[in-house]
Amino acid sequence: MHPYNYYAPENINDALGLLEKFGSKARCLAGGTDILVQTRGGRFELDAIIDVKNIPELTKVEWTKDHLLVGSAVPCYVLYEDEKVTSQFPGIIDAASLIGGIQIQSRASLGGNLCNASPSADGICPLIVHNTICVIAGPKGSREISVDQFCVSPGKNVLDEGEFLVSLKIPLPNSGFGAAYERFIPRNEMDIAVAAVGSSVVVDGGKITNSKIALAAVGPTPIYAEKASEFLLGKDVSEDNLDQASQIAQDSCSPITDMRGDVEFRKHLIGVLTRRTLDLALERAGGN
Amino acid sequence: MANSKKVKKIQITTTINGQEMELLIPPYISLLETLREIVGITGTKEGCNDGNCGACTVTIDRRIVDSCLVLGAEIDGKNVETIEGMATPEGLHPLQQAFLEEAALQCGICTPGFLVASKNLLDKEPNPSEGRIRHWLAGNLCRCTGYDKIVKAVQKASENS
């Protein structure tokens, strides 16, 4: 392994300075559950690992008037052991509580899961269906982008050299909002999704006034299923409409065949999981 | 390792099994390597070295982690507990005793990780259900026992404590 130095800056500016100094020879370290494995495996030849866990903005969970701000290095357990987060955001907790085992959840963060940009990432679909905004720090100042624009291809994200993810800005749920995430794996725990779906709905008077469906492990990145989501807008909550949306999600994804499953199986899973997550999202919204 | 000259060892202060110590370590080695090769305590085992098997489980500030997925540099100022911290001069920890009595090990390579993870569970939740034990230990793999004896041993230790 290429030996590297370790830095633990205590504020955003110092981290930016280090990223500028080392350029493509540096990576940020949050939980390390991906980056240390990749570095050890020779995917990068790094001169610097920048541990971002001493930067306050990246490690705090903060409630603002309109958002839940989750620092990009906040480990999963902090979220699922927080009663208020658990009660307000069960759709996020669905993912935070099934990424890896307990050891991994002690360290792994949703921000790191997002930056790693795996097509099968468990954390990303729930963030998409919650309309999450990514807060990014960079040499030219900070910028914000929608989470569904963050991943660009397997393992690649939208961050430019010198930039890093500071926090996830998740809008507080309005009344009638519900969300859920579910994946299919052949084991009970500790596995990578063969296919997975996150769904959210806003229900008002028996009608779906907003919906987002996102799919994982069936494309080069986790994807926002636009057609299926938009189909539900203004529709009544009915068996037929939910089945149709699930069918559209199933038809619109483009999985590959690999050791985890073939195209036909993955498409079938997307249909089933879309329906299941819509049902649970509706239940959580109090609309079913 | 062409650029190894540019890499400087770093000094950390940490507490391992209740003992405060200062260590000088290469900045890129894992906590697992730090324990085994720098501190010289080899009870923590290397299995997969990529976060799947849990053989290298230790606690940092009372949370279980895979020590292969932590840099030694990250434990500066932290409190680490390993398998070496479990038994006392008076005797084995009740979990260790239960593992022996229930024959919850064969080759033994996964055992330190299972014990550290199980102790952490019982410290937090003295009477977990069988399902909770199995869920908690999902990040620890054993290729010999089939798990039933391990789960029984944890249940037994829970009843005896």
Side-chain angles (χ1 to χ4, degrees):
Chain A
M1 187 186 62
H2 195 72
Y4 48 79
N5 278 307
Y6 170 87
Y7 300 89
E10 292 180 359
N11 61 61
I12 288 175
N13 277 340
D14 288 355
L16 288 172
L18 287 163
L19 284 170
E20 192 185 357
K21 182 177 168 192
F22 291 102
S24 64
K25 292 284 192 181
R27 284 287 186 289
C28 291
L29 169 69
T33 56
D34 288 312
I35 198 81
L36 293 181
V37 178
Q38 291 162 358
T39 305
R40 201 171 288 151
R43 181 155 154 195
F44 316 111
E45 287 209 343
L46 300 183
D47 288 340
I49 278 269
I50 303 169
D51 185 350
V52 293
K53 293 191 292 297
N54 290 332
I55 306 174
E57 289 90 338
L58 278 75
T59 53
K60 68 181 175 188
V61 176
E62 189 184 2
W63 297 83
T64 68
K65 191 168 141 281
D66 301 316
H67 295 93
L68 174 68
L69 262 176
V70 179
S72 59
V74 170
C76 290
Y77 82 87
V78 171
L79 298 176
Y80 66 67
E81 288 188 358
D82 183 321
E83 280 178 26
K84 193 173 172 193
V85 175
T86 306
S87 69
Q88 298 274 301
F89 292 98
I92 300 276
I93 297 304
D94 285 344
S97 56
L98 59 64
I99 294 176
I102 307 293
Q103 287 94 330
I104 299 295
Q105 292 159 13
S106 295
R107 299 261 298 166
S109 62
L110 292 182
N113 195 234
L114 179 59
C115 288
N116 191 53
S118 165
S120 59
D122 287 309
I124 302 178
C125 288
L127 294 174
I128 292 174
V129 304
H130 279 81
N131 302 302
T132 303
I133 304 292
C134 306
V135 182
I136 297 166
K140 295 175 208 155
S142 71
R143 64 178 175 126
E144 296 189 349
I145 65 160
S146 172
V147 73
D148 60 347
Q149 306 295 311
F150 192 86
C151 301
V152 295
S153 63
K156 291 262 173 5
N157 63 45
V158 77
L159 295 176
D160 288 327
E161 201 170 295
E163 290 188 320
F164 66 98
L165 181 65
V166 173
S167 59
L168 300 163
K169 216 164 120 180
I170 311 172
L172 298 184
N174 294 319
S175 74
F177 177 91
Y181 173 77
E182 211 171 305
R183 69 179 178 190
F184 175 84
I185 55 173
R187 306 178 68 215
N188 290 326
E189 305 291 342
M190 288 282 291
D191 208 347
I192 293 170
V194 179
V197 179
S199 293
S200 71
V201 292
V202 179
V203 186
D204 187 7
K207 277 198 191 318
I208 296 171
T209 58
N210 211 334
S211 174
K212 274 207 160 175
I213 297 166
L215 319 174
V218 289
T221 66
I223 40 177
Y224 166 49
E226 191 174 357
K227 274 188 202 160
S229 307
E230 289 186 352
F231 167 81
L232 285 171
L233 297 187
K235 296 280 197 314
D236 290 329
V237 177
S238 71
E239 293 282 321
D240 186 45
N241 284 331
L242 298 175
D243 280 342
Q244 279 195 59
S246 306
Q247 188 64 50
I248 295 168
Q250 177 173 339
D251 294 342
S252 62
C253 67
S254 53
I256 56 167
T257 291
D258 67 11
M259 62 180 183
R260 293 203 174 83
D262 63 18
V263 168
E264 192 188 0
F265 181 45
R266 284 191 150 120
K267 280 184 171 258
H268 172 74
L269 287 171
I270 290 295
V272 172
L273 293 171
T274 301
R275 181 58 209 264
R276 283 189 195 169
T277 51
L278 282 170
D279 284 346
L280 185 53
L282 284 162
E283 191 186 312
R284 287 171 172 170
N288 206 6
Chain B
M1 297 221 175
N3 93 336
S4 59
K5 281 179 192 159
K6 279 195 268 174
V7 174
K8 280 190 187 158
K9 287 189 177 179
I10 56 169
Q11 189 175 349
I12 60 168
T13 305
T14 185
T15 303
I16 298 175
N17 299 324
Q19 192 183 342
E20 192 176 288
M21 53 183 86
E22 282 191 13
L23 302 172
L24 192 62
I25 60 169
Y28 51 86
I29 67 168
S30 68
L31 171 56
L32 174 62
E33 291 165 316
T34 304
L35 293 169
R36 292 180 60 89
E37 292 165 27
I38 307 290
V39 184
I41 50 176
T42 55
T44 307
K45 302 304 179 198
E46 178 183 313
C48 64
N49 210 27
D50 64 10
N52 274 292
C53 79
C56 66
T57 301
V58 302
T59 63
I60 300 178
D61 292 347
R62 298 186 181 187
R63 299 209 74 89
I64 51 169
V65 299
D66 294 319
S67 61
C68 71
L69 294 187
V70 180
L71 290 178
E74 291 183 78
I75 61 162
D76 188 34
K78 302 269 199 280
N79 203 325
V80 178
E81 297 269 345
T82 72
I83 185 67
E84 285 86 351
M86 257 178 99
T88 62
E90 286 73 49
L92 294 177
H93 186 277
L95 268 164
Q96 292 172 307
Q97 192 61 40
F99 268 57
L100 280 178
E101 287 167 10
E102 293 299 315
L105 64 155
Q106 287 181 32
C107 86
I109 192 96
C110 70
T111 311
F114 268 102
L115 285 167
V116 171
S118 303
K119 176 176 183 290
N120 188 246
L121 172 62
L122 296 188
D123 286 348
K124 289 173 207 280
E125 302 170 28
N127 297 298
S129 66
E130 183 189 337
R132 178 65 173 153
I133 295 168
R134 286 184 185 275
H135 180 260
W136 187 269
L137 296 178
N140 292 80
L141 302 185
C142 172
R143 302 288 80 163
C144 305
T145 64
Y147 302 103
D148 280 0
K149 291 180 172 189
I150 293 173
V151 174
K152 268 192 193 134
V154 177
Q155 286 175 305
K156 185 172 186 178
S158 142
E159 286 156 14
N160 290 346
S161 59

